[in-house]
Amino acid sequence: MAKILIIDDERSIRNTLREILEYEDYEVEDVDNGVDGLQLIEKKDYDLVLCDIKMNRMDGMEVLTEGLAIKPDLPFIMISGHGTVETAVEASKKGAFDFISKPPDLNRLLITVRNALDRGSLVVEAKVLKRKVSKVRAILGESQAIIKIKETIDRVAPTDARVLVTGANGSGKELVARWLHEKSNRSNAPIIEVNCAAIPSELIESELFGHEKGSFTSAIKQRIGKFESANGGTLFLDEIGDMSQSAQAKVLRALQENKITRVGGEKEIDVDVRVVAATNKDLLKEIEAGNFRMDLYHRLSVILIHVPPLIERKDDIALLTQSFLDEICNEYGMPVKKISDAALEALKALPWTGNIRELRNMVERLIILSDKVITDNDVRAFANPSAPATVTAGAAAPAPQTDFDQFNNFQEYKDFAEREYIKFKLEKNNWNVSKTADDIDIQRSHLYSKIEKFGLKRGE
């Protein structure tokens, strides 16, 4: 049932409107002045406000302005016995949904009320859908590190300052980038994401800057790049540490001049883009190794935000777990499962090499495989088998037991050991092949060959 607030200093008008609206099954409240009306708007959730323009204690136009400042999506229908075109235009400019003259025509009033309520519902639904599509969930946590990150986002987001977000895989760098966009003045424009590690070095320039038809063999038509697609919005360069040197030079020029040139093109194109970058690498070490440009680093790192790994914020695990329980159970259309205190302590004891992403996967596994209440035994039974075993202080970690009799020769054992080692490293790095290749010091192409040779698959 929709709730409607009537603000009018004429008792007879208030009574007439209330009678009509209550007959249509609306829940109605009324006050005789704008000051009390604004207090009610601030305290309660109304679906619509009918407001007189000429009132003693506060003018209706002032009520409209202050009311929309409190609840920006609240529809206002303005009413006046001295209606003129100029008054109606002014009300519309200030954000009113519609304007009705006194005495109100019954049919027009009801149609306008229904339209205003429908519009209000659509606005709310659009915001919910936008939030779902943009995948922007809350940054959860009460640790000092997370509080500092939230405060930094609130300060930095309204500016156009470039931000470099650092942290391990799965720690939530993308979420920080999305909130920087969501709270910025560019939130109505798109945020475009580019995973620099997932794009081959020979294609990254075309991906970022676009290309002209015929600029290379497979360029059968003109293509718009990510910089142009993000024009007016935010460009999120994920895993910036994996970008090729030639692409780094072009990105630096784009940041310096706010201009780009498509691959194979000559025309300079103006772009208005805010760049947020993220990396799991130590870029200062990459600069020393000659893999990353120092001048680009300084361009990107106007503001630095470091997202700590989950192992450094164990106190947030309970809050994160409950949020994932609610979210995943709702997605599955099932009652939210409970989790015991002992189970939460068991979760805190795990190493969490995959950070937040691994915790969410773990919670989903527990929801599927456990009974109504998730216990510490469930956590121990369904913990990721690839994760290193946790031990109490002072105790030695048990060595993995391998049946050496299963190998017919030394080569079979070498293949087995190599497969398990590569599988462990891939899972530790969340199947980021580029990062894993760096960790084990082999060429990326060589690692791809090993993955194919051993038939390794993500999630097996």
PDB file of all heavy atoms in Angstrom, residues 293-306:
ATOM      1  N   ARG A 293      57.505   1.533 -16.555  1.00  0.00           N
ATOM      2  CA  ARG A 293      58.006   2.905 -16.681  1.00  0.00           C
ATOM      3  C   ARG A 293      57.767   3.696 -15.392  1.00  0.00           C
ATOM      4  O   ARG A 293      56.642   3.710 -14.873  1.00  0.00           O
ATOM      5  CB  ARG A 293      57.303   3.613 -17.835  1.00  0.00           C
ATOM      6  CG  ARG A 293      57.553   2.998 -19.197  1.00  0.00           C
ATOM      7  CD  ARG A 293      56.792   3.770 -20.251  1.00  0.00           C
ATOM      8  NE  ARG A 293      57.221   5.150 -20.334  1.00  0.00           N
ATOM      9  CZ  ARG A 293      57.842   5.682 -21.376  1.00  0.00           C
ATOM     10  NH1 ARG A 293      58.118   4.935 -22.438  1.00  0.00           N
ATOM     11  NH2 ARG A 293      58.195   6.960 -21.386  1.00  0.00           N
ATOM     12  N   MET A 294      58.816   4.346 -14.922  1.00  0.00           N
ATOM     13  CA  MET A 294      58.685   5.139 -13.702  1.00  0.00           C
ATOM     14  C   MET A 294      57.755   6.327 -13.918  1.00  0.00           C
ATOM     15  O   MET A 294      56.956   6.662 -13.032  1.00  0.00           O
ATOM     16  CB  MET A 294      60.058   5.636 -13.242  1.00  0.00           C
ATOM     17  CG  MET A 294      60.006   6.471 -11.966  1.00  0.00           C
ATOM     18  SD  MET A 294      61.618   6.964 -11.357  1.00  0.00           S
ATOM     19  CE  MET A 294      62.214   5.416 -10.686  1.00  0.00           C
ATOM     20  N   ASP A 295      57.847   6.979 -15.127  1.00  0.00           N
ATOM     21  CA  ASP A 295      57.000   8.143 -15.365  1.00  0.00           C
ATOM     22  C   ASP A 295      55.518   7.758 -15.398  1.00  0.00           C
ATOM     23  O   ASP A 295      54.659   8.504 -14.929  1.00  0.00           O
ATOM     24  CB  ASP A 295      57.403   8.870 -16.648  1.00  0.00           C
ATOM     25  CG  ASP A 295      57.644   7.940 -17.831  1.00  0.00           C
ATOM     26  OD1 ASP A 295      57.409   6.727 -17.686  1.00  0.00           O
ATOM     27  OD2 ASP A 295      58.086   8.430 -18.881  1.00  0.00           O
ATOM     28  N   LEU A 296      55.204   6.555 -15.905  1.00  0.00           N
ATOM     29  CA  LEU A 296      53.808   6.092 -15.893  1.00  0.00           C
ATOM     30  C   LEU A 296      53.363   5.788 -14.460  1.00  0.00           C
ATOM     31  O   LEU A 296      52.230   6.104 -14.077  1.00  0.00           O
ATOM     32  CB  LEU A 296      53.651   4.853 -16.772  1.00  0.00           C
ATOM     33  CG  LEU A 296      52.257   4.231 -16.809  1.00  0.00           C
ATOM     34  CD1 LEU A 296      51.203   5.229 -17.271  1.00  0.00           C
ATOM     35  CD2 LEU A 296      52.230   2.985 -17.701  1.00  0.00           C
ATOM     36  N   TYR A 297      54.255   5.196 -13.680  1.00  0.00           N
ATOM     37  CA  TYR A 297      53.936   4.904 -12.276  1.00  0.00           C
ATOM     38  C   TYR A 297      53.528   6.183 -11.545  1.00  0.00           C
ATOM     39  O   TYR A 297      52.537   6.219 -10.821  1.00  0.00           O
ATOM     40  CB  TYR A 297      55.133   4.257 -11.589  1.00  0.00           C
ATOM     41  CG  TYR A 297      54.957   4.087 -10.096  1.00  0.00           C
ATOM     42  CD1 TYR A 297      54.199   3.048  -9.574  1.00  0.00           C
ATOM     43  CD2 TYR A 297      55.551   4.989  -9.201  1.00  0.00           C
ATOM     44  CE1 TYR A 297      54.032   2.896  -8.204  1.00  0.00           C
ATOM     45  CE2 TYR A 297      55.393   4.848  -7.837  1.00  0.00           C
ATOM     46  CZ  TYR A 297      54.629   3.805  -7.338  1.00  0.00           C
ATOM     47  OH  TYR A 297      54.452   3.667  -5.982  1.00  0.00           O
ATOM     48  N   HIS A 298      54.301   7.244 -11.753  1.00  0.00           N
ATOM     49  CA  HIS A 298      53.999   8.497 -11.054  1.00  0.00           C
ATOM     50  C   HIS A 298      52.699   9.126 -11.578  1.00  0.00           C
ATOM     51  O   HIS A 298      51.991   9.791 -10.821  1.00  0.00           O
ATOM     52  CB  HIS A 298      55.165   9.472 -11.190  1.00  0.00           C
ATOM     53  CG  HIS A 298      56.375   9.070 -10.386  1.00  0.00           C
ATOM     54  ND1 HIS A 298      56.312   8.836  -9.029  1.00  0.00           N
ATOM     55  CD2 HIS A 298      57.656   8.833 -10.740  1.00  0.00           C
ATOM     56  CE1 HIS A 298      57.501   8.484  -8.574  1.00  0.00           C
ATOM     57  NE2 HIS A 298      58.338   8.463  -9.597  1.00  0.00           N
ATOM     58  N   ARG A 299      52.400   8.934 -12.851  1.00  0.00           N
ATOM     59  CA  ARG A 299      51.134   9.431 -13.392  1.00  0.00           C
ATOM     60  C   ARG A 299      49.933   8.699 -12.794  1.00  0.00           C
ATOM     61  O   ARG A 299      48.880   9.292 -12.545  1.00  0.00           O
ATOM     62  CB  ARG A 299      51.118   9.260 -14.915  1.00  0.00           C
ATOM     63  CG  ARG A 299      51.962  10.266 -15.659  1.00  0.00           C
ATOM     64  CD  ARG A 299      51.236  11.580 -15.825  1.00  0.00           C
ATOM     65  NE  ARG A 299      52.092  12.597 -16.424  1.00  0.00           N
ATOM     66  CZ  ARG A 299      51.724  13.837 -16.623  1.00  0.00           C
ATOM     67  NH1 ARG A 299      50.524  14.242 -16.267  1.00  0.00           N
ATOM     68  NH2 ARG A 299      52.541  14.707 -17.178  1.00  0.00           N
ATOM     69  N   LEU A 300      50.101   7.393 -12.580  1.00  0.00           N
ATOM     70  CA  LEU A 300      48.976   6.570 -12.101  1.00  0.00           C
ATOM     71  C   LEU A 300      48.775   6.673 -10.596  1.00  0.00           C
ATOM     72  O   LEU A 300      47.653   6.513 -10.108  1.00  0.00           O
ATOM     73  CB  LEU A 300      49.211   5.097 -12.470  1.00  0.00           C
ATOM     74  CG  LEU A 300      49.165   4.742 -13.952  1.00  0.00           C
ATOM     75  CD1 LEU A 300      49.646   3.307 -14.161  1.00  0.00           C
ATOM     76  CD2 LEU A 300      47.752   4.906 -14.499  1.00  0.00           C
ATOM     77  N   SER A 301      49.854   6.913  -9.852  1.00  0.00           N
ATOM     78  CA  SER A 301      49.789   6.781  -8.384  1.00  0.00           C
ATOM     79  C   SER A 301      49.641   8.121  -7.678  1.00  0.00           C
ATOM     80  O   SER A 301      50.311   8.374  -6.675  1.00  0.00           O
ATOM     81  CB  SER A 301      51.024   6.049  -7.876  1.00  0.00           C
ATOM     82  OG  SER A 301      52.198   6.767  -8.234  1.00  0.00           O
ATOM     83  N   VAL A 302      48.758   8.975  -8.191  1.00  0.00           N
ATOM     84  CA  VAL A 302      48.460  10.224  -7.462  1.00  0.00           C
ATOM     85  C   VAL A 302      47.933   9.865  -6.073  1.00  0.00           C
ATOM     86  O   VAL A 302      48.330  10.443  -5.063  1.00  0.00           O
ATOM     87  CB  VAL A 302      47.431  11.066  -8.237  1.00  0.00           C
ATOM     88  CG1 VAL A 302      47.040  12.306  -7.441  1.00  0.00           C
ATOM     89  CG2 VAL A 302      47.990  11.462  -9.601  1.00  0.00           C
ATOM     90  N   ILE A 303      47.031   8.892  -6.045  1.00  0.00           N
ATOM     91  CA  ILE A 303      46.524   8.349  -4.778  1.00  0.00           C
ATOM     92  C   ILE A 303      46.819   6.851  -4.770  1.00  0.00           C
ATOM     93  O   ILE A 303      46.540   6.145  -5.742  1.00  0.00           O
ATOM     94  CB  ILE A 303      45.005   8.569  -4.624  1.00  0.00           C
ATOM     95  CG1 ILE A 303      44.653  10.059  -4.724  1.00  0.00           C
ATOM     96  CG2 ILE A 303      44.508   7.973  -3.295  1.00  0.00           C
ATOM     97  CD1 ILE A 303      45.167  10.912  -3.582  1.00  0.00           C
ATOM     98  N   LEU A 304      47.395   6.361  -3.676  1.00  0.00           N
ATOM     99  CA  LEU A 304      47.676   4.931  -3.516  1.00  0.00           C
ATOM    100  C   LEU A 304      46.718   4.331  -2.492  1.00  0.00           C
ATOM    101  O   LEU A 304      46.562   4.875  -1.399  1.00  0.00           O
ATOM    102  CB  LEU A 304      49.114   4.706  -3.051  1.00  0.00           C
ATOM    103  CG  LEU A 304      50.208   4.692  -4.119  1.00  0.00           C
ATOM    104  CD1 LEU A 304      51.570   4.746  -3.457  1.00  0.00           C
ATOM    105  CD2 LEU A 304      50.105   3.433  -4.973  1.00  0.00           C
ATOM    106  N   ILE A 305      46.056   3.240  -2.860  1.00  0.00           N
ATOM    107  CA  ILE A 305      45.199   2.520  -1.910  1.00  0.00           C
ATOM    108  C   ILE A 305      45.664   1.070  -1.884  1.00  0.00           C
ATOM    109  O   ILE A 305      45.664   0.390  -2.919  1.00  0.00           O
ATOM    110  CB  ILE A 305      43.715   2.580  -2.323  1.00  0.00           C
ATOM    111  CG1 ILE A 305      43.201   4.020  -2.304  1.00  0.00           C
ATOM    112  CG2 ILE A 305      42.866   1.702  -1.395  1.00  0.00           C
ATOM    113  CD1 ILE A 305      41.751   4.176  -2.741  1.00  0.00           C
ATOM    114  N   HIS A 306      46.068   0.606  -0.723  1.00  0.00           N
ATOM    115  CA  HIS A 306      46.494  -0.794  -0.584  1.00  0.00           C
ATOM    116  C   HIS A 306      45.389  -1.601   0.095  1.00  0.00           C
ATOM    117  O   HIS A 306      44.901  -1.227   1.158  1.00  0.00           O
ATOM    118  CB  HIS A 306      47.779  -0.908   0.235  1.00  0.00           C
ATOM    119  CG  HIS A 306      48.213  -2.325   0.434  1.00  0.00           C
ATOM    120  ND1 HIS A 306      48.684  -3.121  -0.592  1.00  0.00           N
ATOM    121  CD2 HIS A 306      48.212  -3.107   1.548  1.00  0.00           C
ATOM    122  CE1 HIS A 306      48.963  -4.323  -0.130  1.00  0.00           C
ATOM    123  NE2 HIS A 306      48.697  -4.344   1.166  1.00  0.00           N
TER     124      HIS A 306
END
